[in-house]
Amino acid sequence: MITIIGSGKVGTAIAFLCISTSLDDVLLVNRTKDKAIGEALDISNAVPENSNVSIQGTDDFSKIIGSDIIVITASTGTYLKSRTEMMGAQVKMIKDIAQEIKKHCPSAIILIVSNPLDVLTYVFQKETKILRNKVIGIASSLDSSRFRYLLSEKFKLKQSQINNVMVLGEHGDSMVPIFSGVKINKMNLLEMIDEAEQNLITTEIRNYWKSLRNFKSRSQFGIAKNTFDVLNSIIKNNELIIPASIVLNGEYDEKDVSMGVPVKINKDGIKEIIEIKLNQAEHSLLKISAQTIRDCINSL
């Protein structure tokens, strides 16, 4: 069973993908019981014919017992200027959720989607002492999807023509697009753009969520699909390589901080942290990003 804590736009989009593809049973947990029940009633009509999956809604954490994976999408409000602006309230929320999970389902793999993503991933892992490979922050893969989309628009190409696109570090204003690894029709991206263009694209990726909010209230489908891909990888044991946030212990010369790095995911969660080669500029920016996250953690 997959438990999704939070029945807003993102949580319900993830639930819809899981149910409509018959991935697994889903339990929606929400502080407003009627909201969880209503969304479950709606999504239940997307169960495919001859499928055995089901979806239920509740506000009762005791019902998460037996969950294989728990996805946390809950939020205390809507941020407008920065993903860290509600950090205090969000940290309190994640600590409360952590205690419920520790009490009822300590063996589950945890996917964190709530913001500030890297801080909450760190706090949750330290609060529960669950193995770090089983506490995964999902966001850097979304930033990578946005990077790929922006490149496809710039070069007027299909996204499938652009490979090895990756964004590391904070899911926030210090995120680091890794230009050095990108291939466009097998050509190195850095041979096609100059430093000014790199800086412009970096700013566009970092501000993508703000640009999107000029047209709708918040993003939901991109992060839902990226989260679903991780759920699918774990449940079906299909190895997946993406950037995701994990508490580091020396990898990329960083310790005691959680940030987006390339990982290999399978049925056990994160099977391996992959250390890729970065150029000097990227390495320096990643150090700054790690320190940005660490400063947020230390301010708690």
Side-chain angles (χ1 to χ4, degrees):
M1 180 174 73
I2 299 166
T3 287
I4 301 174
I5 300 174
S7 299
K9 290 181 179 294
V10 173
T12 53
I14 296 167
F16 171 78
L17 287 172
C18 294
I19 289 299
S20 63
T21 59
S22 299
L23 183 63
D24 203 352
D25 296 327
V26 172
L27 177 69
L28 287 176
V29 180
N30 199 71
R31 59 176 174 253
T32 305
K33 184 178 181 179
D34 287 353
K35 170 70 170 169
I37 292 173
E39 297 292 357
L41 285 172
D42 191 5
I43 296 170
S44 67
N45 301 145
V47 175
E49 187 177 2
N50 301 322
S51 174
N52 292 322
V53 300
S54 65
I55 180 168
Q56 304 291 329
T58 186
D59 62 352
D60 183 358
F61 271 95
S62 69
K63 292 186 177 181
I64 73 174
I65 293 172
S67 299
D68 301 296
I69 310 173
I70 298 175
V71 184
I72 303 174
T73 69
S75 179
T76 57
T78 302
Y79 54 89
L80 300 174
K81 297 179 181 179
S82 167
R83 294 180 178 94
T84 61
E85 65 189 49
M86 302 183 302
M87 186 166 64
Q90 289 290 94
V91 167
K92 182 182 183 304
M93 177 197 74
I94 207 74
K95 286 183 176 181
D96 292 342
I97 291 172
Q99 291 308 310
E100 295 286 356
I101 291 173
K102 192 174 180 180
K103 177 181 177 182
H104 297 294
C105 204
S107 61
I109 294 173
I110 313 299
L111 306 186
I112 297 179
V113 180
S114 304
N115 283 306
L117 188 281
D118 305 286
V119 173
L120 297 189
T121 300
Y122 177 89
V123 170
F124 184 95
Q125 196 275 326
K126 297 301 179 183
E127 192 78 7
T128 60
K129 302 296 190 294
I130 292 173
L131 294 174
R132 65 176 181 142
N133 70 297
K134 297 178 71 174
V135 180
I136 309 169
I138 310 297
S140 294
S141 58
L142 171 64
D143 298 324
S144 302
S145 297
R146 292 171 172 176
F147 186 12
R148 187 174 65 247
Y149 167 75
L150 291 171
L151 290 175
S152 75
E153 289 292 293
K154 177 178 176 60
F155 291 101
K156 302 295 186 289
L157 296 170
K158 299 290 186 184
Q159 292 192 44
S160 59
Q161 295 173 273
I162 305 169
N163 304 113
N164 202 32
V165 181
M166 201 167 287
V167 177
L168 307 184
E170 180 196 20
H171 179 53
D173 293 340
S174 70
M175 65 179 68
V176 184
I178 306 302
F179 289 91
S180 63
V182 178
K183 302 283 188 180
I184 296 183
N185 286 330
K186 299 183 179 180
M187 292 181 60
N188 294 327
L189 175 60
L190 287 182
E191 296 175 2
M192 304 167 68
I193 60 173
D194 59 23
E195 186 176 349
E197 290 174 299
Q198 290 179 55
N199 292 336
L200 178 61
I201 293 169
T202 297
T203 299
E204 288 178 334
I205 298 168
R206 291 173 175 175
N207 292 330
Y208 192 103
W209 69 275
K210 295 178 182 177
S211 300
L212 186 149
R213 287 195 182 186
N214 290 328
F215 302 97
K216 63 178 291 187
S217 61
R218 64 186 304 165
S219 60
Q220 65 191 104
F221 299 114
I223 186 57
K225 178 57 166 62
N226 278 273
T227 305
F228 172 81
D229 288 344
V230 175
L231 289 166
N232 187 68
S233 170
I234 294 168
I235 289 173
K236 296 183 178 179
N237 197 27
N238 293 330
E239 288 192 349
L240 175 69
I241 295 176
I242 59 165
S245 191
I246 180 175
V247 176
L248 298 178
N249 187 26
E251 300 86 2
Y252 291 89
D253 297 322
E254 297 294 343
K255 284 187 176 183
D256 207 33
V257 69
S258 181
M259 70 176 183
V261 295
V263 299
K264 183 181 291 184
I265 295 172
N266 68 1
K267 64 180 177 61
D268 299 316
I270 291 178
K271 176 183 178 181
E272 177 186 354
I273 296 174
I274 302 168
E275 297 200 53
I276 62 173
K277 185 177 180 180
L278 306 175
N279 64 32
Q280 186 173 352
E282 291 163 348
H283 186 267
S284 297
L285 288 170
L286 196 60
K287 296 292 288 185
I288 292 169
S289 192
Q291 190 58 48
T292 299
I293 300 164
R294 189 177 286 108
D295 288 344
C296 286
I297 292 168
N298 290 339
S299 73
L300 297 174

